[in-house]
Amino acid sequence: MNAPVNAPANASPGIPADPPGGRRAVAVWGIGVAVYFVAVIFRTSLGVAGLDAADRFHVGASALATFSLLQLLVYAGMQIPVGLMVDRLGTKKVLTLGAVLFTVGQLGFALSPSYGMALAARALLGCGDAMTFISVLRLGTRWFPARRGPLMAQLAGLVGMAGNLVSTLVLAPVLHGVGWTAAFAGSAVAGLVVLVPLVLFLRDHPEGHGPAPRTAGAAGAAGPSGASGPSGASGGFVRRQIRESWAEPGTRLGLWVHFTTQFPAMVFLLLWGMPFLVEAQGLSRTTAGGLLTLVVASNMALGLLYGQIVGRRQSARIPLALGTVGLTALLWAAVLVYPGDRAPMWLLVTLCLVLGGCGPASMIGFDFARPANPAERQGTASGITNMGGFIASMTTLLTVGILLDATGDNYRIAFSTVFVLEAVGVLNILRLRPQALAREAARGRAAVPAQASEPVSRAGALPEAAGREAS
């Protein structure tokens, strides 16, 4: 990869200089994060309206789960296409399209008179939502130094959880105060608000730190039939980006870390937490809403902590991820097998605090994919990684709904799905870990210029830390 235009004179050939960071970087990144913030509000709005949606559209648990399932299906299915779009078109275009789509989807959900139209609106919302997070990650790598990568990713996740907090604290009482249509249509205005600075001020990268121009050979790779030209070039680009990203063990390890860590909290917040706490645990909606808020607050606090730890010590990545998975499984088991019909409040509070670590732990997946891929593949690699947690969430949402209908709302049986998916994920993490860390350490050593006083990373890792972990 060619060095950027304004690279320092002592930069090693093929290794781009770090972006400068600074106030302008914070401002531009903040615009992208604001778009993601609104997308998360829209995404999680159904979590506080699940029981209302069941009454409005006269549906049971399985049909209710289909709302979130379809939204996540679209989201997960869009991750690789969105990653390719970000790599090919740039962040601003993709974010703008995403903001338009999720705003129209939220407004359509507010006005839908039937279950079928509401499903279509949630699918459109999921499509727009899918374009936000990968774009924000790309902004972070384009505008900030590589050593800031883990922290910026965690901060983006923290802002997203703040959007979840808005859904819980603001949208829920507004929904019960002014009604379905007014609450959801009113919230859609936020999408229009973030579109203005996005269109006017957001830039893909600082001047002199743009992606290296594609060579004619790279851009015009012939397809299997030997075709060339625009269509052949586009097909060659897509195949190459996906193949080369997937070939990296770090990308696959990132996917499985994301798969294993994210879904318990997402399923709880997105749909099944409120019904579980109200129907199975006998809590009022107000108390249940407070516990959902506790998950979000814990997530925000732990996000800062995890980001600092991983940024300073790469060897903490696997222990943090697996430790979060183990603690989550332990607390879920304690709640589900607790003698009697209901778990005590202290145990539910502890569960919610632990679930707050799932989001920050899932961000660690990107810290494996980032150093495994050069800058021009970051969008595609992030898309592959981001699919993991949403595939797991989608599977769990559907399975829980089916089991609840089949067992007469037995949450103990339904939530046992969590343990199965966690076991699958842990096995794959342990399988991929040695190869991924060895490749990362080798790449880090190759990226250190012999004459440099400090390590230089082209994709976001600290090479000396990667070497320590692999050893």
Side-chain angles (χ1 to χ4, degrees):
M1 186 172 65
N2 298 326
V5 176
N6 295 332
N10 63 346
S12 178
I15 301 173
D18 264 356
R23 293 182 179 179
R24 189 183 179 202
V26 173
V28 172
W29 180 79
I31 294 172
V33 169
V35 177
Y36 175 56
F37 173 77
V38 173
V40 174
I41 294 176
F42 292 178
R43 178 201 305 170
T44 58
S45 58
L46 186 61
V48 297
L51 298 176
D52 299 87
D55 293 337
R56 178 179 176 86
F57 299 112
H58 310 291
V59 295
S62 296
L64 184 61
T66 304
F67 275 124
S68 296
L69 176 66
L70 177 62
Q71 184 179 335
L72 291 183
L73 178 63
V74 172
Y75 189 105
M78 286 289 293
Q79 289 310 291
I80 292 179
V82 167
L84 292 164
M85 288 170 63
V86 170
D87 287 337
R88 190 76 178 232
L89 303 177
T91 304
K92 182 173 183 175
K93 293 178 181 178
V94 177
L95 263 182
T96 301
L97 178 59
V100 170
L101 291 177
F102 68 60
T103 300
V104 173
Q106 184 77 342
L107 183 61
F109 193 57
L111 303 176
S112 295
S114 65
Y115 176 70
M117 291 186 66
L119 277 178
R122 294 304 286 187
L124 189 62
L125 192 157
C127 186
D129 181 20
M131 299 182 179
T132 58
F133 186 64
I134 292 176
S135 298
V136 171
L137 289 180
R138 179 61 169 254
L139 281 178
T141 60
R142 287 297 192 193
W143 280 90
F144 293 93
R147 67 182 182 277
R148 299 293 184 192
L151 180 59
M152 301 314 296
Q154 289 287 357
L155 286 175
L158 186 151
V159 172
M161 290 308 297
N164 202 325
L165 196 62
V166 170
S167 289
T168 305
L169 295 181
V170 178
L171 186 59
V174 170
L175 176 65
H176 299 143
V178 302
W180 180 280
T181 301
F184 280 97
S187 67
V189 175
L192 300 177
V193 171
V194 296
L195 261 175
V196 176
L198 169 58
V199 172
L200 294 180
F201 303 115
L202 190 133
R203 298 292 181 268
D204 285 354
H205 49 75
E207 185 177 354
H209 290 268
R214 295 186 184 90
T215 64
S225 61
S228 59
S231 60
S234 177
F237 171 80
V238 169
R239 289 190 296 271
R240 185 178 64 256
Q241 289 286 95
I242 295 175
R243 181 180 65 250
E244 293 178 358
S245 297
W246 183 256
E248 291 291 346
T251 304
R252 301 197 302 275
L253 177 59
L255 179 147
W256 282 108
V257 168
H258 200 267
F259 176 101
T260 313
T261 52
Q262 187 201 48
F263 79 93
M266 174 160 283
V267 167
F268 195 78
L269 290 171
L270 198 59
L271 183 60
W272 291 122
M274 180 70 76
F276 170 72
L277 294 172
V278 173
E279 296 177 353
Q281 299 300 316
L283 303 180
S284 67
R285 288 196 182 195
T286 302
T287 304
L291 289 176
L292 294 180
T293 303
L294 184 61
V295 177
V296 177
S298 173
N299 184 295
M300 296 173 71
L302 291 174
L304 289 174
L305 178 63
Y306 279 38
Q308 291 287 347
I309 292 174
V310 174
R312 295 177 180 179
R313 189 171 182 81
Q314 296 278 285
S315 59
R317 291 175 297 178
I318 289 291
L320 273 178
L322 293 182
T324 302
V325 172
L327 200 54
T328 301
L330 178 64
L331 266 297
W332 259 123
V335 168
L336 295 179
V337 303
Y338 193 86
D341 294 333
R342 299 171 184 175
M345 180 58 70
W346 66 265
L347 186 55
L348 294 176
V349 168
T350 305
L351 171 66
C352 291
L353 289 172
V354 170
L355 285 175
C358 293
S362 72
M363 301 301 295
I364 295 173
F366 298 101
D367 293 318
F368 288 108
R370 186 185 303 111
N373 294 273
E376 63 268 19
R377 283 208 311 265
Q378 288 294 307
T380 306
S382 295
I384 292 172
T385 299
N386 208 29
M387 285 179 60
F390 289 92
I391 290 173
S393 298
M394 185 171 52
T395 302
T396 308
L397 281 169
L398 177 61
T399 306
V400 168
I402 291 174
L403 290 175
L404 285 175
D405 282 344
T407 61
D409 293 337
N410 188 321
Y411 281 89
R412 290 182 173 178
I413 295 176
F415 276 120
S416 63
T417 308
V418 171
F419 307 113
V420 177
L421 267 69
E422 285 186 328
V424 171
V426 167
L427 289 174
N428 280 282
I429 291 172
L430 296 177
R431 176 177 63 86
L432 288 165
R433 175 183 176 274
Q435 184 182 4
L437 296 184
R439 288 283 292 272
E440 184 177 301
R443 183 178 290 106
R445 288 190 294 270
V448 179
Q451 72 276 24
S453 59
E454 291 183 357
V456 176
S457 169
R458 66 183 180 132
L462 299 176
E464 77 280 13
R468 284 198 303 270
E469 182 169 2
S471 63

